[in-house]
Amino acid sequence: MMNAAGLFVGDAALGAPRRVEVDLAKGDVWARKLRGPISLAVTSGAVWLTREGGADDVVLSAGASYRGDVRGLVVVEALERARIAVSSGGWSASARRALTALREHWAILLALFALYVIWGSTYLGMRIALETLPPFLMAGARFVVAGGLLYGVLRLRGEAPPDRKQWGGAAIMGVLLCGCGNGFIAIGQQQKWITSGVSAVLVTTMPLWVAVMSSAVAFRARRAGKDVATGAPSAGEWAGLVVGFAGAALLRVGGTLQASAGGILLVLLSPFCWALGSVWSRSLPLPKGLMASAAQMLAGGVAMLVGGVLLGERVPEAPSMRSLLALVYLTVFGSIVGFSAYSYLLRATRPAIATSYAYVNPIVAIALGIWFGGEEATATTWLAAIVVIAGVVILSVARARPTAAK
């Protein structure tokens, strides 16, 4: 409402954003206490504007406007007959800050969702695809299509293709990560040696294997008289390794891994090969950014297709629609969307945030396997997942701490 002197009284901080138009005679005053953004336009005449805490007063003539994020009292005095139009927001400062942060970081949140949920769901997707499709031909087709599409998009954007040496490095990585890392898990799921949730738990041990291999490489380099930055594992790192591998052992002790000794060894080789490829990649010539992922998927996919043919795999004449849809999901979301999100997070956030999916994927995979896949998870499976994740967290925290030079 407006009093006789032209004073407009309102509490916009409590209400929704609103617009008011005020006619002011010369000398009239319009005032309002705000806790949010304001937009004031002078449609005729001239006014003098001041705000609580403001450094300078402002004189606005017809056609001019004032915008700002205002806390406190705003006072407008008409220097001549004038008309003003005011729009102000009613959100509290904390709510506005939260919305601004959400707008600024929506891409990061969306990428984290892709890694947490989509990558966690790929284990169930793989199990469904394997219902009527052979493991190596299924995964090989997935990686060839995903890698080919990603490669084509990158080339259209003007990125240079890998040279001969980089293709060689990508082939080694593709065989280790896609062929062995993914292929051995696929065989384990097809043979029903492991469930989709247990697959995710086993893959989570990959950082533990990386730590072991990195320490072994550093030890060998020091023995050869080379100066290396990596020292011996600290007490905290050893604790993380012991806890993590103890969790993996629980899967066998609790009877979750249902296979012969050879079958279990094959499944356990999956994270080992992932770790070997990760450590080896530091010395291999590889393309930059997403081109490395595209080349690795292409090379690994071709190797898996060749391996599937050599192993005598055959695609059935009529694979189920469930399996085909799962394969499409794995190709588009698991590979293209997942790898793109991971690459984006590595550029936009700290590595600890980008790699945090390793702690979440097992829980997501176990839950989805129970809810949608009809799988069962014993108390030992849940305990093993928690212990493995705890070991990886302990290891990550210990490795992040600065250590004295050795």
Side-chain angles (χ1 to χ4, degrees), residues 30-376:
W30 178 92
R32 197 171 191 180
K33 191 170 186 179
L34 298 169
R35 292 191 307 185
I38 182 177
S39 175
L40 187 148
V42 180
T43 55
S44 64
V47 300
W48 166 82
L49 181 148
T50 186
R51 65 185 180 88
E52 183 179 355
D56 300 305
D57 298 338
V58 180
V59 175
L60 302 173
S61 301
S65 61
Y66 173 87
R67 293 181 177 84
D69 192 5
V70 180
R71 277 187 76 90
L73 186 66
V74 175
V75 179
V76 177
E77 181 180 354
L79 301 178
E80 57 186 76
R81 186 172 183 82
R83 183 178 180 85
I84 61 175
V86 184
S87 299
S88 60
W91 291 96
S92 66
S94 59
R96 286 185 288 106
R97 283 195 297 270
L99 288 176
T100 300
L102 182 61
R103 287 195 298 267
E104 292 175 351
H105 301 297
W106 69 268
I108 293 176
L109 295 175
L110 191 61
L112 284 173
F113 173 84
L115 293 190
Y116 289 174
V117 178
I118 294 178
W119 268 6
S121 67
T122 55
Y123 298 95
L124 178 60
M126 187 186 302
R127 201 210 74 178
I128 295 174
L130 290 169
E131 289 176 352
T132 58
L133 293 173
F136 274 86
L137 293 182
M138 180 275 294
R142 164 193 173 185
F143 289 121
V144 166
V145 173
L149 290 174
L150 186 57
Y151 181 86
V153 170
L154 294 174
R155 293 289 291 125
L156 289 174
R157 286 169 48 182
E159 296 199 21
D163 57 31
R164 182 177 299 180
K165 289 185 177 180
Q166 290 175 334
W167 275 117
I172 294 174
M173 292 290 293
V175 170
L176 287 173
L177 272 60
C178 300
C180 299
N182 188 276
F184 293 161
I185 286 290
I187 292 175
Q189 287 197 16
Q190 187 200 46
Q191 298 295 327
K192 302 190 183 302
W193 295 336
I194 53 174
T195 63
S196 60
V198 173
S199 301
V201 176
L202 288 177
V203 171
T204 304
T205 64
M206 189 269 288
L208 306 176
W209 289 111
V210 169
V212 172
M213 293 181 191
S214 299
S215 299
V217 170
F219 176 77
R220 182 176 179 181
R222 286 194 298 270
R223 288 289 298 271
K226 298 179 181 178
D227 186 20
V228 293
T230 304
S234 64
E237 290 174 305
W238 279 117
L241 291 171
V242 171
V243 171
F245 285 125
L250 274 177
L251 295 173
R252 176 57 178 164
V253 174
T256 306
L257 287 171
Q258 304 292 337
S260 62
I264 293 175
L265 178 61
L266 183 66
V267 171
L268 292 178
L269 278 176
S270 172
F272 181 87
C273 291
W274 269 92
L276 179 60
S278 299
V279 174
W280 202 348
S281 67
R282 300 169 187 172
S283 58
L284 286 174
L286 293 171
K288 302 296 184 182
L290 278 176
M291 184 59 77
S293 298
Q296 290 168 26
M297 286 192 288
L298 270 172
V302 170
M304 295 187 80
L305 290 176
V306 173
V309 173
L310 294 177
L311 291 172
E313 291 185 355
R314 295 291 183 270
V315 177
E317 294 183 1
S320 70
M321 183 58 67
R322 275 169 52 92
S323 293
L324 293 177
L325 290 176
L327 178 57
V328 172
Y329 178 82
L330 291 171
T331 302
V332 175
F333 292 94
S335 296
I336 299 176
V337 176
F339 277 107
S340 300
Y342 183 60
S343 179
Y344 168 76
L345 287 173
L346 286 176
R347 298 192 309 269
T349 65
R350 300 189 307 275
I353 296 177
T355 58
S356 61
Y357 71 90
Y359 314 138
V360 182
N361 283 171
I363 306 301
V364 172
I366 293 173
L368 291 178
I370 294 172
W371 293 336
F372 301 106
E375 298 178 350
E376 295 182 358

Side-chain angles (χ1 to χ4, degrees), residues 379-402:
T380 303
T381 302
W382 285 107
L383 178 61
I386 294 172
V387 173
V388 169
I389 294 171
V392 175
V393 171
I394 294 171
L395 175 68
S396 301
V397 171
R399 302 197 83 173
R401 292 175 180 168

